[in-house]
Amino acid sequence: MSATIDAPVDLMEAIAHLRLPARANRQLQELMDANNNGTLSDSERDVLAELVEWSESISLLRARALHLLGEQPE
């Protein structure tokens, strides 16, 4: 089922500018580097998977908001 609702432009703009918090982004980068180097522990692999999932979810929300705003991703 598809529905259309009105949303304030400022809400869509806020969603379009969502990012991982700086600390989470740094941790994601460090864990990806460790993964590339083959030094990732099992517990770190779990954290990496969660951060990747979180990052992908944010990216999808941003893309939808940008589409609604008629803008291109940065």
Side-chain angles (χ1 to χ4, degrees), residues 58-70:
I58 290 172
S59 293
L60 290 173
L61 284 172
R62 288 186 67 239
R64 292 181 80 176
L66 288 167
H67 175 74
L68 290 172
L69 292 167

Side-chain angles (χ1 to χ4, degrees), residues 1-56:
M1 171 193 273
S2 179
T4 301
I5 62 168
D6 290 327
V9 171
D10 61 336
L11 174 61
M12 290 296 101
E13 289 173 342
I15 293 171
H17 291 97
L18 281 175
R19 299 279 193 269
L20 279 177
R23 181 176 172 195
N25 192 57
R26 279 191 306 273
Q27 185 178 23
L28 175 60
Q29 294 302 318
E30 290 169 3
L31 291 171
M32 287 191 306
D33 290 343
N35 188 49
N36 288 339
N37 294 331
T39 60
L40 202 62
S41 70
D42 288 341
S43 62
E44 288 173 325
R45 190 173 324 285
D46 292 340
V47 173
L48 175 59
E50 290 174 14
L51 287 171
V52 167
E53 186 175 338
W54 191 15
S55 179
E56 288 175 348

